Amino acid sequence: MEFSTISEFDPAFIQAPEYRPKLKVIEIDKLPIIDLSNDTKEVVLEIGEACKTWGFFHVINHGVPLELISRIMETSKEFFDLPLEEKKLAKRDEVNPMGYYDSEHTKNVRDWKEVFDFLAKDPSFVPASHEPDDTQRRTIRNQWPAHPPEFRDVCEEYAREVEKLAYKMLELISLSLGLSGDRLHSCFKDQLSFLRVNHYPVCPFPKLTLGVGRHKDPSALTVLAQDEVGGLEVRRKSDGAWISVEPVPYAFIINLGDATQVWSNDIYESAEHRVVMNSEKERFSIPFFFYPAHYVMLKPLEELVNEQNPARYREFNMGKFYVTRNRSDFKKREVENIQMYHFRIF
């Protein structure tokens, strides 16, 4: 990803004019910052308001060791600083979608980033194909680089800690909907959650490209750690404006995914977001995508459906769409959350 002139810049990275970022920030609207150490009733109310207004919020006093967050950021930089040839020794392929990759596309435009993906539960089991009548399952496993030597241990320890936080957030979000805290726990018995370490290199033409194009997450929720550089933007629901998210040291960003939007029957909505580039500093971020098991059938929860608020989605199996979204032929794929809108009733 090194280009000295515009003529050398790969056009695969260039966004259509209407989707290019406006790097001059006119307005910064701060996301809610929720202190999880406060009274539970207060926290639940704050989360409910944040979910309705934004679908995004920060959490602090979250219980994940701050030293561990620093360690995974440091060892991730060590990995991405390796020569490309060495990183590619752990490159994902047509058989295994986990590992290193540097040609991610969002909405058919190449993202200015490189990533390393790994499962929270290793091994995990997924549908063999996206065909509705195919009942076969296949096994996917993590693959780890030899260097840096502590990379695997740090990543696995981090995954365990962030998984605990994801369950805690799931409980609080359930409570905010008037449900029991463990209402959705059974959906995650054989979860398909995975983590991604993102590296966004310095970009010489930040007005033309994006680190990640506009998208929504199909998961139940995402737990995101980001460094101090920033670059995340969220589309504000009230007017559709792109709002820059100011980093909060050692906080996590929580954003709702499409699965939660379906379960809540549109009481809560997943929010569109993207990453703008920086011409001076590289950036790192680490999302934990909290996915239900492949066999879970998604539909609005019966407690949230009545005559005044009928179901807005037909029942569908998320596992098939997980396979479609995470298949190995990532090039030229659409990552839009087709499953949710395809099954929308109105």
Side-chain angles (χ1 to χ4, degrees), residues 85-96:
E85 294 74 17
E86 188 164 355
K87 288 183 286 190
K88 283 187 174 181
L89 294 176
K91 187 175 181 179
R92 68 194 189 196
D93 54 33
E94 293 183 2
V95 176
N96 190 351

Side-chain angles (χ1 to χ4, degrees), residues 9-20:
F9 194 70
D10 187 342
F13 289 107
I14 298 177
Q15 295 281 330
E18 63 269 28
Y19 300 124
R20 293 175 189 172

Side-chain angles (χ1 to χ4, degrees), residues 102-310:
D102 62 353
S103 298
E104 187 91 345
H105 285 65
T106 303
K107 300 187 184 302
N108 294 335
V109 181
R110 188 174 172 184
D111 297 330
W112 189 270
K113 68 176 181 180
E114 53 183 344
V115 306
F116 185 89
D117 292 341
F118 61 100
L119 296 161
K121 300 292 186 183
D122 185 19
S124 289
F125 305 93
V126 298
S129 75
H130 65 275
E131 298 299 329
D133 297 328
D134 187 354
T135 60
Q136 297 296 312
R137 300 289 178 261
R138 68 184 180 93
T139 303
I140 54 175
R141 296 179 180 273
N142 288 332
Q143 56 176 334
W144 296 101
H147 301 286
E150 70 278 9
F151 185 68
R152 176 176 181 171
D153 288 344
V154 173
C155 286
E156 289 180 339
E157 181 182 356
Y158 179 83
R160 289 191 294 268
E161 292 295 331
V162 177
E163 181 185 32
K164 295 176 188 176
L165 176 58
Y167 272 110
K168 182 174 184 177
M169 299 314 306
L170 186 71
E171 292 176 1
L172 292 169
I173 290 169
S174 296
L175 290 170
S176 75
L177 287 167
L179 308 170
S180 63
D182 62 354
R183 176 64 174 86
L184 296 168
H185 277 204
S186 61
C187 297
F188 295 84
K189 180 180 178 181
D190 300 305
Q191 60 176 286
L192 287 175
S193 305
F194 73 97
L195 295 91
R196 166 167 290 177
V197 183
N198 289 310
H199 174 227
Y200 302 96
V202 170
C203 181
F205 305 107
K207 294 181 179 180
L208 299 178
T209 189
L210 290 167
V212 183
R214 71 200 192 283
H215 68 286
K216 298 183 177 184
D217 295 345
S219 54
L221 59 88
T222 301
V223 182
L224 174 70
Q226 64 169 341
D227 64 15
E228 73 284 355
V229 175
L232 175 65
E233 292 188 343
V234 177
R235 187 184 286 275
R236 189 166 52 194
K237 294 181 181 181
S238 60
D239 58 6
W242 286 104
I243 304 301
S244 178
V245 178
E246 183 177 352
V248 176
Y250 294 105
F252 283 100
I253 294 173
I254 309 297
N255 68 273
L256 302 183
D258 294 337
T260 297
Q261 178 166 336
V262 172
W263 280 327
S264 76
N265 202 32
D266 285 353
I267 295 174
Y268 296 159
E269 296 181 18
S270 56
E272 199 169 34
H273 50 289
R274 67 183 186 182
V275 174
V276 299
M277 294 315 304
N278 193 303
S279 61
E280 299 178 353
K281 296 180 180 179
E282 63 182 344
R283 176 180 183 260
F284 295 89
S285 70
I286 307 173
F288 176 101
F289 299 104
F290 198 32
Y291 273 95
H294 66 79
Y295 49 76
V296 168
M297 299 300 293
L298 284 180
K299 64 178 181 178
L301 298 174
E302 58 185 19
E303 300 96 317
L304 304 177
V305 174
N306 52 47
E307 290 185 3
Q308 291 72 38
N309 190 32

Side-chain angles (χ1 to χ4, degrees), residues 326-343:
N326 292 282
R327 65 187 188 273
S328 295
D329 56 329
F330 286 86
K331 191 174 183 180
K332 301 294 184 183
R333 68 173 169 80
E334 285 280 349
V335 301
E336 186 58 66
N337 43 335
I338 59 172
Q339 66 274 32
M340 184 175 68
Y341 296 108
H342 182 72
F343 290 92

